[in-house]
Amino acid sequence: MFKKALSYDDVLLRPRYSEIVTRSEVNLGVKLAEKVHLALPVFAAPMDTVMSPSMAAAVFQAGGVGILHRYCTIEEQVEMLETSFLLMPLQARPKTIVFGAVGITGNYFERASALIDAGARGICVDVAHGHHINVIEAVKKLKSKFPDVHVMAGNVATQEGYEALADAGADSVRVGVGGGSICSTRIQTGHGVPTFQSILECSRSDRDAAIIADGGIKSSGDIVKALAVGADAVMVGRMLAGTNEAPGEVIHNTAGFAQKVYRGMASPEAQQEWRGKYSSNEGVSRTVPLKGAAAGILFEMDKGIRSGLSYSGVRSIIELQARACFVVQTSAGRVESSTHIDL
Ligand code: IMP
């Protein structure tokens, strides 16, 4: 009855024999349905303290895709999308790939239609509990009307949830409930599954919707673990929060350090600002240090993931998934695994 569930910090990858001489031999490319090709398997989360047109452009330039958040009017979201296209610096490249998020009530279908008309290459059905009849119905409706548009849906924590959305037609599924750095779902509701475990479960399915590991990714090491256990790509909020491209004022704390706000979309602060009231309280609002350009963070991320693959002796994510060998570490191992000179 009580199934053990592992988190990123519970596991490590055993280093394997490698013939990789430089990181450039490693290819991080992944092809998702509807011609969405990522050179870096990373999505930027649809959150109002993460996503902006300049973040969409920066993430696309690094090889990933940004998802514009839905906490604004349809017109404002379309304007963000159009601005993202204008920021593409190399005119010869194809139009920036940007996704837009929608909900499942009210004007979600009109929102999706407006985003697609304006050039969005994917729609993300963005719901906290994605293993839900309304999400399934929304995915079916979107996929039947827009068969050529990538439809991402979530979030789910279990293989049953993943398969329900895949069977509804989702091209990719956000996997992870309660693991986000600003998330209090597990505290408020008692529900969730450590995200590493959720990915492991979903990867055993015979469905082919892409698995997007979402929530709780702190480092490129966590990204490598997520990919190795079966994710096709990851989604990050915290890692891109606090960059120049993340929306929000720069504030200085009492010690004079420059910071920005990073908050959950189910936090009272975010809901209050968007709707003028809050109905649920499953997220928190915090400040994070100002980190400079998103390109710098994405560059380090790319390098770290490539190094990760070379430690497993593989040149692609598919090879990583076939060759990865995990060990479970003890609490003493966890201490040894983080820098501990200050202990
Ligand atoms: P992070 O990368 O660990 O910061 O997690 C980002 C992810 O947290 C997002 O992609 C969402 O799936 C999730 N998330 C965003 N806002 C909230 C919230 O208010 N409560 C719970 N989860 C959230």
Side-chain angles (χ1 to χ4, degrees):
M1 177 180 175
F2 294 102
K3 229 170 122 182
K4 203 165 175 179
L6 297 169
S7 304
Y8 292 118
D9 287 344
D10 289 322
V11 297
L12 284 170
L13 284 153
R14 275 172 73 97
R16 310 278 320 253
Y17 170 69
S18 178
E19 294 182 352
I20 293 159
V21 181
T22 72
R23 280 192 286 253
S24 59
E25 286 176 49
V26 173
N27 180 352
L28 299 181
V30 48
K31 282 189 180 140
L32 305 183
E34 310 312 340
K35 302 191 187 76
V36 175
H37 184 193
L38 309 176
L40 176 70
V42 172
F43 285 91
M47 299 171 73
D48 71 354
T49 49
V50 175
M51 277 309 298
S52 64
S54 56
M55 182 67 84
V59 173
F60 178 72
Q61 272 180 280
V65 169
I67 307 176
L68 294 167
H69 70 84
R70 62 188 173 89
Y71 299 90
C72 54
T73 63
I74 296 178
E75 293 71 27
E76 285 163 344
Q77 199 179 9
V78 166
E79 196 183 326
M80 284 198 280
L81 182 71
E82 287 169 344
T83 310
S84 321
F85 296 147
L86 298 177
L87 298 171
M88 196 184 68
L90 302 173
Q91 296 304 321
R93 288 171 76 158
K95 206 174 186 180
T96 308
I97 297 181
V98 187
F99 285 15
V102 302
I104 48 167
T105 53
N107 60 9
Y108 85 92
F109 196 77
E110 290 70 37
R111 186 178 284 269
S113 306
L115 288 164
I116 291 164
D117 284 348
R121 287 280 294 282
I123 294 295
C124 173
V125 182
D126 174 34
V127 176
H129 181 27
H131 193 185
H132 191 285
I133 185 168
N134 291 353
V135 179
I136 292 168
E137 293 306 324
V139 170
K140 283 186 183 162
K141 190 169 169 185
L142 286 165
K143 216 45 212 179
S144 75
K145 185 79 202 303
F146 306 109
D148 301 334
V149 172
H150 185 104
V151 173
M152 178 183 284
N155 280 37
V156 300
T158 60
Q159 185 173 343
E160 306 92 84
Y162 163 79
E163 291 182 352
L165 296 184
D167 292 346
D171 298 298
S172 58
V173 177
R174 287 167 78 184
V175 175
V177 170
S181 60
I182 35 48
C183 173
S184 56
T185 298
R186 294 182 191 166
I187 299 164
Q188 295 292 343
T189 72
H191 283 67
V193 174
T195 305
F196 181 88
Q197 186 71 30
S198 295
I199 307 162
L200 174 63
E201 265 193 36
C202 296
S203 70
R204 291 185 178 138
S205 167
D206 59 3
R207 312 304 200 272
D208 56 11
I211 295 173
I212 314 301
D214 179 24
I217 295 208
K218 309 174 290 302
S219 60
S220 52
D222 286 348
I223 298 179
V224 176
K225 291 175 189 178
L227 297 171
V229 77
D232 295 279
V234 301
M235 185 174 292
V236 295
R238 169 190 172 168
M239 286 189 80
L240 292 170
T243 55
N244 298 344
E245 290 80 355
E249 299 290 304
V250 176
I251 44 186
H252 290 88
N253 70 5
T254 44
F257 291 115
Q259 301 182 313
K260 278 189 175 180
V261 167
Y262 175 46
R263 65 190 183 187
M265 295 316 306
S267 65
E269 290 85 348
Q271 291 177 61
Q272 192 75 41
E273 193 173 316
W274 162 230
R275 291 186 247 238
K277 63 182 169 86
Y278 71 95
S279 52
S280 63
N281 178 1
E282 290 184 28
V284 297
S285 177
R286 294 285 184 273
T287 50
V288 294
L290 198 64
K291 298 177 187 158
I297 303 287
L298 290 158
F299 179 70
E300 289 301 322
M301 202 185 268
D302 182 286
K303 270 200 323 192
I305 305 170
R306 283 171 192 277
S307 289
L309 267 65
S310 85
Y311 271 93
S312 271
V314 297
R315 290 183 170 79
S316 69
I317 293 167
I318 300 275
E319 280 181 44
L320 175 69
Q321 290 169 349
R323 197 147 191 261
C325 184
F326 280 100
V327 291
V328 175
Q329 60 180 343
T330 62
S331 50
R334 274 197 291 278
V335 173
E336 187 185 85
S337 296
S338 57
T339 52
H340 48 273
I341 188 160
D342 301 322
L343 287 184

